[in-house]
Amino acid sequence: GSARIASIIEKLVGKKSPEETLIINVQGDQPYLDPTVIDKMIKFFSDQEKFPEVITPIYKLKSENLQNPAVVKTLVNGKGKVIYFSRSVIPHVRDKEFNEWHTYNDYWGHVGIYGFRADILSRWNQLPESNLEKLEKLEQLRIIDADIPISTFEVQGSFLSVDTIAQLEEARKMG
């Protein structure tokens, strides 16, 4: 999705300043995305002193989703910037039972929506595909490998991403 949007970025931006233009990419695997998340993304972007390069919403994961590789986990630093995305549980809490990990750290899920500053997205097709991206099958790791900061903001709820047959069946039950 990011590559397709990047290919028409000049048409989308027109005469506006690319450094001040937010392009929102809602991934196709998010059929039930709450529209208020888009509103929150716009507000988060515009409320910043300096417009962030890339933003994405995160939500607290339920313990039953921690070991599900179809649920993307997001590791963030103390300033709310993404350190890594993974299909694995991160971080690992050493010397503790798995069922206790939530008491030592918050675990974050990633909502399949990105806000790009237009000048950053315009570079997408020049960014090399990263080895981590290939291994995890997560295109956002290309951004991390390119050393482009990804800011986060918290949203409430549970977000169904439809990437597997089981998730498709769950989505069919919802709608």
Side-chain angles (χ1 to χ4, degrees):
S2 299
R4 287 188 295 279
I5 296 170
S7 71
I8 61 162
I9 196 76
E10 289 178 10
K11 290 179 185 178
L12 292 173
V13 175
K15 297 182 188 267
K16 299 177 197 128
S17 166
E19 293 82 15
E20 297 177 354
T21 302
L22 174 65
I23 303 292
I24 298 176
N25 176 2
V26 178
Q27 301 289 303
D29 58 6
Q30 296 288 315
Y32 298 106
L33 181 67
D34 181 348
T36 63
V37 173
I38 296 171
D39 295 337
K40 288 179 183 179
M41 179 173 280
I42 294 166
K43 181 168 177 19
F44 180 84
F45 181 81
S46 60
D47 284 351
Q48 304 308 303
E49 188 173 313
K50 180 182 177 214
F51 295 136
E53 288 88 343
V54 181
I55 55 179
T56 192
I58 58 174
Y59 64 98
K60 285 191 180 174
L61 279 175
K62 296 178 181 174
S63 59
E64 62 265 19
N65 286 325
L66 282 182
Q67 293 184 310
N68 182 348
V71 176
V72 177
K73 288 72 167 181
T74 308
L75 186 61
V76 296
N77 67 19
K79 294 184 178 186
K81 303 278 192 234
V82 175
I83 297 170
Y84 193 71
F85 295 98
S86 184
R87 297 183 181 282
S88 298
V89 184
I90 51 174
H92 177 89
V93 181
R94 187 174 166 178
D95 301 327
K96 301 296 178 189
E97 294 295 322
F98 178 74
N99 63 356
E100 299 174 8
W101 285 13
H102 267 90
T103 63
Y104 294 93
N105 194 67
D106 288 327
Y107 289 86
W108 299 100
H110 166 257
V111 182
I113 177 175
Y114 301 95
F116 290 95
R117 224 174 51 199
D119 63 312
I120 299 298
L121 187 57
S122 70
R123 296 176 23 213
W124 181 268
N125 292 322
Q126 285 77 48
L127 299 176
E129 184 179 21
S130 78
N131 189 52
L132 294 174
E133 174 184 4
K134 290 182 215 173
L135 293 171
E136 295 254 20
K137 305 279 191 270
L138 298 171
E139 74 172 8
Q140 59 269 45
L141 291 173
R142 180 181 304 198
I143 300 166
I144 290 174
D145 275 354
D147 202 27
I148 298 169
I150 303 173
S151 300
T152 64
F153 62 97
E154 184 178 351
V155 292
Q156 303 299 315
S158 185
F159 297 87
L160 175 64
S161 179
V162 182
D163 298 306
T164 67
I165 297 297
Q167 290 168 327
L168 176 60
E169 293 302 321
E170 186 178 344
R172 286 179 173 155
K173 289 177 189 171
M174 292 172 65

